[in-house]
């Protein structure tokens, strides 16, 4: 039912979007071939399902990108996560000469994570296309701003399964550069493994989701000052208010407080229409100050405006307790690892700007800093490609958390620090 609602909304807004083999799917599903929402429409895609099942995320996205490049008359780019499209286009930036050669020869080069037997199966689907290879070389030589529309002139929309929370950074980055001029459509709202709502408004810039009452049993905790504990149901929601989401996905399952906070944006035929606001499950808190992920990102983006020429590619936060003795004899603090474009180093004064913005935006953090209960934030720059390797190491097609909690992954990031 959700898939049909999505396809109807997509086809109404973009009439050529459902053309045969007019959609390229860039989505890593190791060992399990399926589209992000699970609808069985193989004739819709020009990318082979086998490519997404590779155990290597990098190999899967590169192969899918190659098959997408073959299809000039592409109407839709569909991805599970905005980070997947981001990483695939980063691969295009660095590997376009090799990709052009593979297009021209109709041959798939050996690469890590691509078993020989699977490579033979995928290569059988390729045919030499020297004209398309020449077009790829010409467009990439011109640069990568707006590259998506230059490579696929008939492209109408980018469909992203998850575009809120941690993925919003990648959507914004893609809109400003590689996918300039393209609308982004996030069709579904999912939480706790359950499909809860569908976006019936593909052309609107901010996704809104119609909650469907029979897909899962949802309860809502009002976000009020008095911390009211009683949950309310769909027919008790008020427009403009925020609620924490509690889900029971199937009969017999335990109730799950998802950590998602939703704002009621309105109603559609008496059913609530909601906007995801933040994830309370993603917090920075070394003294109980509880800085939400989205608000931290806003402070970081405000800081970036004070660093002329800097563009944020990616970042992750760590609480000093995870660093152990390597953090030194100091008060608990945050450490932030960033990949920047346009700046190779930051002065101590520039680094302090982020701590200063956090103090201005969060009075409780400022009070702890003033008392010395929380130490100054430490900021590190990492080399390009660090976060692509981190997502590979995570080994999961789920969105990457902005608060790192695993020592092994922390060591990977620390080993990439350049400043």
């Amino acid at each position: 039912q959700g898939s049909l609602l999505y396809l109807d909304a997509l086809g109404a807004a973009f009439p050529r979007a459902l053309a045969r083999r007019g959609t390229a799917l860039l989505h890593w599903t190791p060992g399990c071939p399926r589209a992000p929402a699970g609808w069985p429409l193989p004739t819709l895609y020009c990318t082979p399902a086998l490519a997404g099942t590779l155990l290597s995320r990098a190999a899967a996205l590169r192969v899918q990108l190659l098959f997408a490049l073959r299809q000039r008359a592409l109407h839709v780019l569909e991805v599970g996560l905005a980070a997947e499209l981001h990483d695939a286009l980063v691969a295009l930036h660095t590997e376009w000469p090799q990709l052009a050669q593979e297009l021209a020869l109709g041959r798939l080069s050996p690469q890590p994570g691509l078993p020989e037997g699977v490579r033979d199966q995928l290569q059988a689907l390729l045919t030499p296309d020297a004209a398309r290879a020449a077009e790829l070389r010409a467009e990439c030589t011109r640069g990568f701003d707006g590259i998506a529309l230059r490579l696929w002139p008939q492209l109408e929309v980018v469909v992203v399964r998850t575009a809120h929370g941690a993925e919003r950074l990648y959507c914004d980055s893609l809109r400003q550069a590689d996918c300039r001029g393209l609308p982004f459509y996030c069709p579904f709202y999912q939480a706790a493994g359950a499909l809860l709502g569908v976006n019936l408004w593909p052309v609107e810039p901010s996704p809104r989701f119609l909650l469907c009452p029979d897909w899962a049993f949802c309860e809502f905790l009002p976000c009020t000052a008095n911390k009211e504990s009683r949950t309310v149901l769909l027919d008790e929601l008020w427009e403009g208010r925020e609620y924490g989401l509690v889900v029971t996905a199937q009969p017999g399952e335990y109730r799950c407080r998802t950590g998602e906070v939703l704002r009621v944006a309105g109603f559609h035929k008496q059913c609530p229409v909601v906007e995801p606001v933040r994830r309370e499950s993603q917090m920075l808190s070394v003294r109980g100050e509880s800085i939400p992920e989205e608000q931290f990102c806003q402070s970081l983006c405000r800081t970036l405006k004070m660093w002329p020429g800097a563009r944020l590619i990616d970042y992750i936060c760590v609480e000093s307790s995870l660093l152990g003795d390597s953090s030194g004899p100091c008060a608990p603090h945050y450490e932030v690892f960033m990949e920047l474009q346009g700046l190779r180093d930051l002065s101590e004064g520039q680094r302090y700007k982020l701590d200063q913005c956090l103090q201005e935006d969060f009075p409780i953090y400022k009070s702890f800093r003033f008392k010395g209960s929380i130490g100054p934030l430490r900021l590190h720059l990492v080399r390009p490609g660090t976060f692509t390797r981190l997502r590979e190491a995570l080994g999961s097609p789920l969105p990457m958390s902005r608060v790192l909690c695993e020592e092994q992954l922390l060591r990977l990031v620390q080993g990439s620090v350049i400043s």
Side-chain angles (χ1 to χ4, degrees), residues 74-147:
L74 205 63
H75 300 296
V76 178
L77 271 175
E78 182 182 320
V79 295
L81 303 174
E84 293 176 320
L85 179 57
H86 174 272
D87 290 346
L89 292 175
V90 167
L92 176 66
H93 292 192
T94 57
E95 300 182 40
W96 64 264
Q98 180 66 30
L99 289 164
Q101 184 179 19
E102 292 177 24
L103 282 176
L105 299 176
R107 187 176 302 161
L108 192 57
S109 300
Q111 55 190 283
L114 180 59
E116 191 68 24
V118 176
R119 186 172 74 89
D120 291 341
Q121 292 180 58
L122 293 169
Q123 187 166 282
L125 303 175
L126 294 172
T127 54
D129 193 341
R132 184 61 174 155
E135 188 173 12
L136 175 61
R137 292 188 185 101
E139 294 300 341
C140 291
T141 302
R142 288 175 52 196
F144 295 95
D145 192 41
I147 189 67

Side-chain angles (χ1 to χ4, degrees), residues 303 307 347-357 359 369 376-377:
T303 305
W307 301 338
S347 67
E348 288 303 316
Q350 287 175 310
R351 293 171 194 261
Y352 179 69
K353 291 291 185 183
L354 178 54
D355 191 271
Q356 190 176 25
C357 284
Q359 292 186 51
R369 287 283 291 113
L377 178 147

Side-chain angles (χ1 to χ4, degrees), residues 296 299 334 354-362 365 377:
F296 180 91
S299 298
Y334 309 148
L354 178 54
D355 191 271
Q356 190 176 25
C357 284
L358 285 175
Q359 292 186 51
E360 293 171 358
D361 295 340
F362 300 97
Y365 177 77
L377 178 147

